[in-house]
């Protein structure tokens, strides 16, 4: 579903260049369960944003279902993102002035889902992540881990074929983190492609392949025997 | 150094009340190394904000070095915070429009440290957390884990007697997380009081006591044999 062909990302600040990604090539099959691990600052979020069609590479190409995304306009990218990809941001990225329920409804507003169905599906997604009693709180009125879970509910509510989750359990205790991993496991069992960034080994071990990133490059691929 | 006497915190939203802390009492000795663990939403950050003099309890008292902080004005609280307490926020809380170097200098600006010394100490604190090559980046121009480390540098740069760190390693890979824990261990060895919130058992095991919070109450105290 994804093919990355020699993707590089260079951030230019004045006369300083930061090479966040250096000539990265790999492919992800449809329905695959992959994890990305690597040290802080190694380029994981940069790579996720490019795969999520939220950012463009400096050079190289990303193919989504065989189509080169760099050939698409911003509007077409936004449409693909909304229809196909659920993105869990490392910093949650919830809109601060609306409730977490309204935040979770947003992707369905763009997709044109009728209001009553939208509300029901958003409530159910939030109940699934344990936030049924916090629907009308604003993001600043819930805990860090609850914000993280709200952003996970928002990412999956539109039933995307691909879920990209950047450190989805960083703020969660092990029991709550295990519930979130169960959600991702179920989505993958139903055929959805799941790509997770994590620095927790026990989270990565849910995946069938772990891509190890070091200093903007793929250091090694670890294939896991799935039982 | 801290005595909490029947501290409660109730958030009131319209007609809904959220009891985030319920009658919590405990004491922390000067120079102690304590960890706070508990499920997402159990009240850890709320408790940390009250101990950090960033928020007031709904009822009960917090004594800092024998003084009841609820008897202090906002100005006096800000002074105590700046002089005595280094706070690492769960959401980092860096000012977005200035560089991370300027963010780390801020506590010293309030404390009246001369500019040259301020700049040198801020650079050293950022080098200590591995960010020597990102000094002039804005918070949005570094990775999630780098923002977290910048907020740790800011918390320790004023040499506070007490460091309160809310999930300081949530966005860090194990090697980088271990470097941060070494920093906290050294600060404690020098006599500073360290209180960490974490959901990672291996981080909590650096402490000599783990306070387990459940649903706004202390569920149990775990005393660790320190070798
Ligand atoms: N401003 C607020 N208004 C209403 N409820 C709030 C507010 N802030 C926090 N809460 C609620 O109080 C409870 C405790 O929140 P707190 O942030 O202390 O939890 P926590 O233990 O730090 O969780 P996490 O591990 O997810 O960070 C949560 O259930 C949260 O929804
Ligand atoms: N806008 C930017 N401008 C300049 N440099 C940037 C920018 N965004 C990221 N970087 C740098 O690019 C590198 C990769 O960042 P990225 O966020 O992809 O890392 P990461 O692997 O996700 O790290 P973490 O595990 O800490 O979240 C980092 O060294 C970072 O400082
Ligand atoms: Mg990242
Ligand atoms: Mg918290």
């Amino acid at each position: 579903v994804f093919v990355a062909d020699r993707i590089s990302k260079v951030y230019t600040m004045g006369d300083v260049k930061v090479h966040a990604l250096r000539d990265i090539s790999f492919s992800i099959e449809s329905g695959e369960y992959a994890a990305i691990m690597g040290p802080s600052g190694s380029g994981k979020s940069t790579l996720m944003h490019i795969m999520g069609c939220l950012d463009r590479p400096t050079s190289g190409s990303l193919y989504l279902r065989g189509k080169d995304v760099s050939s698409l306009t911003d509007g077409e990218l936004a449409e693909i993102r909304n229809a196909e990809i659920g993105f869990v941001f490392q910093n949650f990225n919830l809109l601060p002035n609306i409730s977490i329920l309204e935040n979770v409804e947003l992707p369905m507003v763009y997709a044109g889902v009728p209001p009553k169905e939208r509300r029901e599906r958003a409530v159910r997604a939030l109940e699934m992540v344990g936030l049924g009693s916090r629907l009308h709180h604003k993001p600043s009125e819930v805990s860090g881990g609850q914000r993280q879970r709200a952003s996970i509910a928002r990412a999956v509510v539109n039933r995307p074929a691909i879920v990209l989750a950047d450190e989805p359990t960083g703020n969660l205790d092990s029991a709550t983190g295990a519930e979130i991993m169960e959600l991702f496991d179920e989505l993958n069992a139903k055929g959805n492609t799941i790509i997770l960034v994590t620095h927790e080994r026990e989270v990565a071990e849910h995946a069938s392949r772990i891509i190890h990133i070091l200093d903007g490059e793929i250091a090694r691929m670890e294939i896991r025997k799935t039982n």
Side-chain angles (χ1 to χ4, degrees), chain A residues 41 44-46 90 166-167 197:
Chain A
K44 305 179 298 295
S45 296
T46 301
Q90 187 171 4
D166 197 342
E167 304 272 5
V197 167

Side-chain angles (χ1 to χ4, degrees), chain A residues 5-6 11 20 27 41 54 61 75 82 89 91-92 94 128 137 139 156-157 169-170 175 178 186-187 210 221:
Chain A
D5 179 24
R6 287 162 299 175
Y11 294 108
S27 64
L54 290 156
S61 295
N82 190 253
F89 291 83
N91 63 351
F92 318 151
L94 297 166
M128 221 162 53
H137 289 230
V156 302
V157 78
T169 61
E186 277 166 25
L187 284 172
I210 303 177
M221 294 283 193

Side-chain angles (χ1 to χ4, degrees), chain A residues 27-225:
Chain A
S27 64
I28 305 270
E29 305 306 307
S30 179
E32 192 173 338
Y33 203 161
I36 299 174
M37 295 188 85
S40 172
S42 55
K44 305 179 298 295
S45 296
T46 301
L47 179 58
M48 288 287 266
H49 278 68
I50 289 171
M51 283 200 285
C53 300
L54 290 156
D55 192 14
R56 295 176 191 272
T58 309
S59 65
S61 295
L62 177 80
Y63 298 91
L64 174 56
R65 299 196 194 294
K67 201 165 183 182
D68 184 347
V69 295
S70 41
S71 65
L72 300 177
T73 66
D74 282 356
E76 286 168 329
L77 274 184
E79 230 176 279
I80 281 189
R81 265 196 326 255
N82 190 253
E84 297 244 22
I85 301 174
F87 202 98
V88 183
F89 291 83
Q90 187 171 4
N91 63 351
F92 318 151
N93 220 22
L94 297 166
L95 294 184
N97 297 320
I98 58 176
S99 71
I100 60 174
L101 181 61
E102 289 163 324
N103 265 285
V104 174
E105 286 191 36
L106 263 188
M108 291 182 283
V109 173
Y110 293 133
V113 176
K116 189 165 163 298
E117 182 191 341
R118 212 167 66 202
R119 173 73 30 137
E120 280 168 11
R121 281 170 55 182
V123 170
R124 231 176 309 143
L126 283 166
E127 285 173 346
M128 221 162 53
V129 296
L131 293 179
S133 63
R134 296 282 182 273
L135 302 177
H136 305 294
H137 289 230
K138 293 213 174 55
S140 63
E141 294 171 338
V142 293
S143 79
Q146 289 169 339
R147 278 192 287 277
Q148 185 159 41
R149 287 183 272 159
S151 83
I152 291 166
R154 183 192 54 192
V156 302
V157 78
N158 232 3
R159 298 177 188 142
I162 303 162
V163 175
L164 301 174
D166 197 342
E167 304 272 5
T169 61
N171 281 272
L172 302 177
D173 57 287
S174 356
T176 311
E179 284 167 28
I180 291 302
M181 288 317 297
E182 224 172 275
L183 170 64
F184 289 129
D185 292 355
E186 277 166 25
L187 284 172
N188 182 254
K190 281 183 199 154
N192 298 291
T193 306
I194 308 282
I195 304 173
L196 292 174
V197 167
T198 183
H199 62 267
E200 297 178 57
R201 184 76 204 169
E202 58 281 17
V203 168
E205 288 184 352
H206 284 252
S208 58
R209 174 164 54 139
I210 303 177
I211 302 170
H212 293 271
I213 304 274
L214 204 58
D215 203 15
E217 295 183 27
I218 294 181
R220 67 185 170 107
M221 294 283 193
E222 181 187 344
I223 308 297
R224 298 189 43 75
K225 291 269 158 298

